[in-house]
Amino acid sequence: MGLGRSEPDPVRQEHCSKPRLGGGPPVAALGAEGHLGVGGQKKGRNRKSEIPNKSQNGVCPVLQAEGLRQALEEMRTLYDRNQADVSEAKSGRTDLIFLIRFRHCCLLRNQRCILAYLYDRLLRIRALRWEYGSVLPNTIQFHMSAEEVEWFSRYKKSLATYMRSVGGEEGLDLTQDIKPPKSLYIEVRCLRDYGEFEIDDGTTILLKKNSQHFLPRWKCEQLIRQGVLEHILS
Amino acid sequence: MRGGGGGREEFGLSVRRVPRSHLQRAFFQAWLNEKFAPELLESKPEIIECVVEQLDHMEANLKRAKRGDLKVSIHRMEIERIRYVLSSYLRCRLVKIEKFFPHVLEKEKSRAEGEPSILSPEEFAFAKEYMANTEIYLKNVALKHMPPNLQKVSLLKSVPRPNLDSFVFLRVLERQENILVEPETDEQREYTIDLEEGSQHLIRYKTIAPLVASGAVQLI
């Protein structure tokens, strides 16, 4: 490997890849999406499966548990080898120091990649709460690990507590009113059967597939996001 | 937040700590500043409280009004607009809190007595829960399976800081003199500028951050 060089820095730079995000030291960076080139980033040095690029439509793909396990396995192997070499180095074999340093860099890189991958998934799951609401469709939940589901439920509880505390007696639902209001009432078409829907002045409307209604905007927002209603822009 | 003509008595608010027009201006200023600033700004609990009170009042008045009254639509629209701005403001803060959570918490911890807080008590609780939640998750899924010397990770070092060097547009509200602008490259030297009232500039956020906090400039 040609590690007999006097300055290990080039080796370090090659395997403890770059960017110093936010001006801090180049330790593990749970960087914003894109900084670590999350798409296609390899966990580990050699034969690991690439972390699959997150699908374009933003839905959370299946957690790569196997890849994660392999990366952790590799870290354990490297560490064990390092431990063995450290004791040898202490008893005189100083040429092992570069190898030890190199392995340590690989360990740091693995840690960084793993954390970046997991953190990026958390950010996506967080986005799901804001887009879909508190109840996730089964197809998406199927792709999340048990710990991620737990994180999600703790996050939504925390968010609910916050939203309740702000804005008067009932709290303010911050996931509504994403866009500035253009008009009071909007024309909507129903995309699937939903059933009865009550509006402010007490009247109930039956939402059947393909029926069109002229409804107050603030009542429809949630249903539009869930895909039950469709805003007709004429 | 102008009521319909003559609607002041019907739908209006009794004068509180802040007159209504002043409240509106301060609220919109806070909203725009929060939107365009790269870091989390001071929390403004008094403004939020007043706005929420106003919304509640208007809603209550609307419930009492006659159906089909034209004023109802206008005031309903007004309520919607104010609610949108309020939601947008709080959402913007939440996004920044989540994005920079270790730094925000660190700043709050090291705040001197008497300095204004950047987090309201509810936001502080939210930020702490978010941090604990994320830490527990990372520990259980990855860190505790790693070799012993790598089981701790400093979130403060890993999560990126807000980029205070990003450029922002601003309009000057109060004349400022001798603002020191630091050089960006080695060839430049630092220089001072004067900010005339009403002028607009594109400048690094770091240079004018204290002016935003004091209200001397408005981000646009």
Side-chain angles (χ1 to χ4, degrees), chain B residues 65-134:
Chain B
K66 296 194 290 287
R67 265 183 71 176
D69 197 354
L70 184 60
K71 282 206 274 264
V72 169
S73 307
I74 300 176
H75 285 280
R76 167 60 66 185
M77 199 62 201
E78 193 64 43
I79 293 179
E80 291 296 300
R81 285 204 198 99
I82 299 172
R83 216 205 342 257
Y84 165 73
V85 175
L86 182 63
S87 278
S88 176
Y89 174 71
L90 293 172
R91 255 199 308 269
C92 183
R93 287 182 66 84
L94 268 192
V95 163
K96 283 193 213 171
I97 290 174
E98 289 175 6
K99 199 165 172 192
F100 306 121
F101 63 97
H103 307 287
V104 157
L105 285 171
E106 184 64 30
K107 196 165 167 187
E108 188 63 15
K109 235 192 321 182
S110 52
R111 180 172 63 99
E113 195 68 43
E115 241 180 75
S117 168
I118 49 170
L119 293 173
S120 72
E122 297 85 13
E123 287 172 342
F124 184 60
F126 177 78
K128 274 208 305 221
E129 283 167 23
Y130 188 79
M131 176 140 180
N133 201 6
T134 310

Side-chain angles (χ1 to χ4, degrees), chain B residues 119-186:
Chain B
L119 293 173
S120 72
E122 297 85 13
E123 287 172 342
F124 184 60
F126 177 78
K128 274 208 305 221
E129 283 167 23
Y130 188 79
M131 176 140 180
N133 201 6
T134 310
E135 271 178 341
I136 292 175
Y137 171 78
L138 289 178
K139 191 167 83 156
N140 286 338
V141 178
L143 288 175
K144 77 174 181 207
H145 301 294
M146 291 191 183
N149 63 337
L150 288 174
Q151 282 189 358
K152 289 248 145 57
V153 77
S154 160
L155 285 177
L156 202 55
K157 279 200 248 178
S158 317
V159 176
R161 277 173 207 287
N163 180 15
L164 299 177
D165 283 326
S166 53
F167 278 77
V168 291
F169 283 95
L170 60 85
R171 182 184 305 122
V172 181
L173 300 175
E174 292 164 16
R175 188 189 148 78
Q176 302 291 317
E177 308 209 327
N178 290 329
I179 305 294
L180 188 65
V181 180
E182 278 168 47
E184 290 165 57
T185 61
D186 287 333

